[in-house]
Amino acid sequence: MTDTVRLNLQFNGKTLVFDRLYTHVNIATMTKDGPAYGAVKDGVIGVTDGRLAFVGRMADLPQNHSASETINKHGQWVFPGFIDCHTHLVYSGNRAAEFEMRLKGSSYKEIAENGGGIISTVKATRTASEDELATAAAKRLCHMASGGVTTAEIKSGYGLTLNDELKMLRAAKKAGQMCDISVTTTLLAAHAVPPEFAGRADDYVTHICCDIIPETISQGCATAVDAFCETIAFTPKQISRVFDAAKKHGLAIKLHADQLSDLGGGGLAAKYGALSADHLEYASEASVQAMAKSGTVAVLLPGAFYVLGETQKPPVDLMRKHGVDIALATDSNPGSSPVSSIQLMLHMGCTLFDLTPEEALAGITRNAAKALGLGDRGTLEVGKRADMVFFDIEQPAELAYWVGGVVPSDIVRAPSSLTQS
Ligand code: NIG
Ligand code: FE
């Protein structure tokens, strides 16, 4: 008897009772040690009460079981539901005009410094109602979900006033309900200095620390805080103040770090025990080492790298050398990454950042779950949420190989009422 079967017998007593059994399925469990992709060939998955109750080989499924429903998957592959751990899905308007400007030679930084960029989306987002934002975000989120995403993180950051930031976070949650997708929300008030605080960034940081963070907590609008550490945004010193306040209020920490220049953002995130530091094109070896020590996940965003025509790649070899877990995300936003396909990020992670298809897939499953602090998903193991995406493919690498992705043959989502374990 294998360990898997023993585990399941313990989990569910002597007779295995399932709501649903998926038989003859090739399982990419995406667990860390063991065969590539944690693969189990000709496997079976049992689901009970929205959780995985059996994951193993067909040959190891005890005779002594019952299931309300059995579905033969005829050799399809199944993966943990995909997790997009970095998005800015709530916003109004779009920035196609800036895309045209960049094609004519203006840089992202120049556009931002001349009042475009993030601030132009802030203007549009402030005038939109919560319902308008939720409806627009739900359109994007449902599209994302159709490619196999079952969990998405959504940030604020285009409101930059107390009311507009909270409006964005509520809209993000509503969008999740509208698409029946699990959504986590992150406060990104420190995304840009709003026009009314021009030349007074420190005062805006004080407002974030003293008003926006406490109110976000008291209204239960977010579980994490994020900030943009960059010459066109906030200094490490200002961000330290935001993180100190966030820690005091029990928020998890994330950081847009070292995207356009090396301000030591990766190291700063690590110092605060951040769940993740994201972008990281310009991260130094010292930052990577610090992240390895603190267990901070490196979230790579090939969509922004591609759209901005970046040439400096994130230091993937150093991340491997020091043992930093790597995640991949869309960074879906109207400026630097108008992207809604997580599978395209698999392809770009491989072609632009030299990840292996297995590393890329771990980046939108196991490591993406870690980047969000979610221990109940990201791999297919007994006790985890039954969030699964099935594909009619011959091998897992196809998901990174086909440009633009593969249409899932089936998507299974645990009920949204399922509490985090
Ligand atoms: O992650 N880098 C900062 N924030 C976003 C861009 C947002 C925007 O341009 O609207 C990002 O790329
Ligand atoms: Fe971002």
Side-chain angles (χ1 to χ4, degrees):
M1 191 184 278
T2 65
D3 284 351
T4 327
V5 174
R6 239 179 253 121
L7 193 65
N8 277 288
L9 287 172
Q10 276 169 12
F11 179 73
N12 211 10
K14 285 241 157 99
T15 305
L16 295 171
V17 180
F18 304 114
D19 295 334
R20 199 176 283 175
L21 262 189
Y22 299 91
T23 60
H24 298 289
V25 62
N26 291 315
I27 308 168
T29 66
M30 297 312 298
T31 48
K32 196 164 185 175
D33 303 310
Y37 304 95
V40 176
K41 296 278 187 64
D42 198 27
V44 54
I45 291 182
V47 174
T48 303
D49 294 333
R51 292 191 191 276
L52 303 178
F54 185 91
V55 180
R57 296 187 308 155
M58 283 295 292
D60 289 333
L61 181 67
Q63 294 293 312
N64 193 14
H65 73 265
S66 69
S68 311
E69 193 183 2
T70 299
I71 302 169
N72 186 335
K73 286 292 185 183
H74 299 288
Q76 290 179 15
W77 277 90
V78 64
F79 297 80
F82 300 149
I83 299 168
D84 194 340
C85 64
H86 180 142
T87 85
H88 307 251
L89 277 173
V90 173
Y91 58 85
S92 184
N94 72 69
R95 308 230 294 273
E98 289 180 12
F99 175 61
E100 289 185 299
M101 284 164 73
R102 282 203 308 276
L103 290 173
K104 286 186 190 141
S106 304
S107 73
Y108 182 70
K109 195 164 175 270
E110 281 160 6
I111 293 170
E113 281 164 353
N114 289 311
I118 293 169
I119 290 301
S120 65
T121 300
V122 169
K123 285 181 190 146
T125 303
R126 284 182 177 179
T127 60
S129 71
E130 185 177 318
D131 282 343
E132 284 165 346
L133 290 174
T135 304
K139 249 192 219 169
R140 301 174 193 121
L141 185 62
C142 291
H143 182 213
M144 218 169 229
S146 69
V149 170
T150 54
T151 300
E153 183 252 21
I154 303 181
K155 302 174 195 296
S156 64
Y158 293 124
L160 310 185
T161 66
L162 172 62
N163 287 341
D164 289 309
E165 287 291 291
L166 296 181
K167 175 179 78 176
M168 285 188 70
L169 294 167
R170 286 192 300 265
K173 289 188 180 206
K174 271 191 193 166
Q177 285 155 9
M178 288 159 89
C179 300
D180 195 20
I181 287 287
S182 190
V183 161
T184 71
T185 45
T186 299
L187 176 71
L188 178 57
H191 196 193
V193 179
E196 57 279 15
F197 279 91
R200 295 188 298 126
D202 284 328
D203 291 346
Y204 179 55
V205 169
T206 302
H207 179 46
I208 294 174
C209 297
C210 299
D211 307 314
I212 300 183
I213 288 178
E215 198 54 29
T216 300
I217 291 291
S218 78
Q219 295 198 25
C221 284
T223 51
V225 79
D226 194 347
F228 188 15
C229 183
E230 196 51 69
T231 50
I232 54 169
F234 296 92
T235 64
K237 202 168 156 205
Q238 289 163 339
I239 285 168
S240 297
R241 291 177 57 208
V242 173
F243 285 176
D244 285 333
K247 278 213 130 170
K248 206 173 95 192
H249 286 89
L251 286 169
I253 285 171
K254 303 172 81 66
L255 185 64
H256 283 68
D258 307 325
Q259 179 189 9
L260 308 170
S261 58
D262 177 15
L263 293 189
L268 177 66
K271 183 177 152 205
Y272 279 88
L275 288 175
S276 73
D278 304 36
H279 286 287
L280 296 171
E281 279 83 345
Y282 288 82
S284 66
E285 181 157 16
S287 279
V288 173
Q289 275 176 301
M291 287 171 62
K293 220 167 150 201
S294 61
T296 299
V297 176
V299 178
L300 306 186
L301 306 169
F305 174 91
Y306 169 79
V307 170
L308 298 183
E310 261 291 349
T311 49
Q312 169 102 7
K313 296 184 187 194
V316 167
D317 279 339
L318 290 177
M319 291 166 188
R320 290 189 185 114
K321 175 176 152 196
H322 295 294
V324 172
D325 287 325
I326 298 173
L328 277 176
T330 60
D331 192 16
S332 187
N333 75 70
S336 63
S337 194
V339 168
S340 53
S341 168
I342 195 78
Q343 287 188 52
L344 181 59
M345 299 304 98
L346 291 178
H347 177 80
M348 287 186 170
C350 296
T351 54
L352 301 177
F353 294 164
D354 311 311
L355 298 182
T356 66
E358 187 179 358
E359 286 174 325
L361 268 157
I364 65 165
T365 54
R366 185 179 72 238
N367 293 342
K370 186 176 171 193
L372 295 180
L374 298 174
D376 63 349
R377 65 199 79 184
T379 56
L380 296 178
E381 293 175 275
V382 168
K384 299 246 172 163
R385 287 169 62 94
D387 288 335
M388 299 183 280
V389 52
F390 294 78
F391 293 94
D392 197 359
I393 54 175
E394 285 169 22
Q395 51 192 316
E398 280 185 61
L399 294 188
Y401 158 74
W402 295 108
V403 184
V406 181
V407 178
S409 54
D410 194 6
I411 299 172
V412 174
R413 293 194 286 259
S416 43
S417 55
L418 203 67
T419 50
Q420 215 193 307
S421 58

